[in-house]
Amino acid sequence: MKLLTLARDLRRRRARERQRLFVAEGVRAVEELIASPLSIQGLLVAPQLTHAPRGTALLDAARRRGVDTTSVDEREFASAAETESPQGVLAIAEIPPRRLEDIAIAGRTRLVVLDAVQDPGNVGTILRTAAALGAAAVLAMPGTVDLWNAKVVRSAMGALFHSPAFMSTWPELDTFRAAHAVALWGADASGTPLEQLQPPDRIALLVGNEGAGLTPEGRSRVEQSVSIPIGSAVESLNVSVATGIILYQLRT
């Protein structure tokens, strides 16, 4: 039952940070994890997994990779799961050691910086969108939900396992930007419409909290505020939607 106890413990952010481990829950997330280069500690499996069409194939893939599997009953599994309708599988894996200095800076680079974005679903969607649109990395500033929260992991749908994303600090970002001449643009409803601007080669896009917007620490560093023109009947866009639109426009 060691794996079950560990999975329960990893529901807490402090435990994830201390042990450098996280939980991926659900068939899709575990499939993506098994296909990734991340180190997996083991799988926790409940009987309902066999009810999923892909359950047997997932277990076969885990065995081929040499991943240990622990079987538990539905009640035990539910004590570790965070979804309302568990699919009967979760994996525990190591959080990869990613750092700002490891980011490869090319002539044209786009980064996404999360400024106290707190909704796990929004963060997971941003991670997936950033990976799809070629962002070099996603950085999470203080006040942002833990990137390895189980809900973030699930909504990122594998993006966390393949694309650089990690927690950072303002001083670290300041040093990195100065060293690599990276401009900081902030998404803001009162900013300049994006189509009126000529983007530089290297941009870090700062996106803020769902309700409060950019923090004072972030706003004070922004070199250019940018906005997306929207209809007058709509007050604002969801932060993950806005991030996707801006990143797409910054591709050219």
Side-chain angles (χ1 to χ4, degrees):
M1 292 302 167
K2 180 180 178 182
L3 202 67
L4 176 61
T5 301
L6 183 57
R8 290 168 176 161
D9 192 37
L10 292 174
R11 295 178 66 158
R12 300 181 298 116
R13 180 171 184 164
R14 184 173 298 179
R16 293 193 295 271
E17 293 174 343
R18 182 181 69 251
Q19 303 199 53
R20 301 299 298 168
L21 296 171
F22 72 95
V23 172
E25 185 182 338
V27 172
R28 173 67 182 273
V30 176
E31 285 176 338
E32 293 285 351
L33 180 61
I34 290 173
S36 80
L38 300 193
S39 177
I40 304 173
Q41 298 284 306
L43 263 60
L44 198 65
V45 176
Q48 63 262 42
L49 179 63
T50 58
H51 302 158
R54 303 197 305 250
T56 302
L58 184 153
L59 290 175
D60 288 342
R63 293 188 188 101
R64 287 195 298 272
R65 189 171 159 177
V67 177
D68 292 333
T69 300
T70 299
S71 296
V72 296
D73 62 35
E74 292 188 14
R75 181 184 58 81
E76 291 170 327
F77 188 88
S79 71
E82 293 199 39
T83 54
E84 292 184 5
S85 301
Q87 294 179 320
V89 64
L90 64 79
I92 295 175
E94 295 180 12
I95 296 175
R98 296 166 175 165
R99 305 175 302 168
L100 254 177
E101 51 265 40
D102 295 331
I103 297 175
I105 297 295
R108 181 184 171 283
T109 302
R110 302 291 185 253
L111 307 174
V112 177
V113 183
L114 307 177
D115 186 11
V117 182
Q118 296 176 346
D119 181 83
N122 283 337
V123 171
T125 301
I126 290 171
L127 289 166
R128 189 165 75 251
T129 303
L133 296 179
V138 176
L139 284 58
M141 294 294 109
T144 298
V145 67
D146 179 20
L147 297 182
W148 299 99
N149 173 300
K151 293 180 181 178
V152 176
V153 172
R154 189 164 57 253
S155 59
M157 296 176 66
L160 260 174
F161 310 150
H162 303 278
S163 301
F166 46 89
M167 307 300 293
S168 189
T169 66
W170 293 112
E172 289 173 348
L173 180 59
D174 292 341
T175 300
F176 180 84
R177 288 179 50 232
H180 297 283
V182 178
L184 185 65
W185 284 21
D188 192 313
S190 62
T192 303
L194 191 55
E195 63 265 26
Q196 297 180 15
L197 299 169
Q198 181 62 44
D201 286 337
R202 299 174 181 178
I203 297 175
L205 174 64
L206 185 68
V207 296
N209 177 272
E210 292 85 352
L214 301 178
T215 65
E217 291 87 350
R219 194 176 297 278
S220 66
R221 290 170 164 83
V222 168
E223 299 168 41
Q224 175 67 60
S225 294
V226 299
S227 65
I228 304 167
I230 58 177
S232 59
V234 178
E235 181 181 352
S236 63
L237 293 174
N238 173 278
V239 63
S240 60
V241 172
T243 302
I245 292 172
I246 295 174
L247 278 180
Y248 183 82
Q249 291 187 279
L250 289 175
R251 294 180 79 186
T252 56

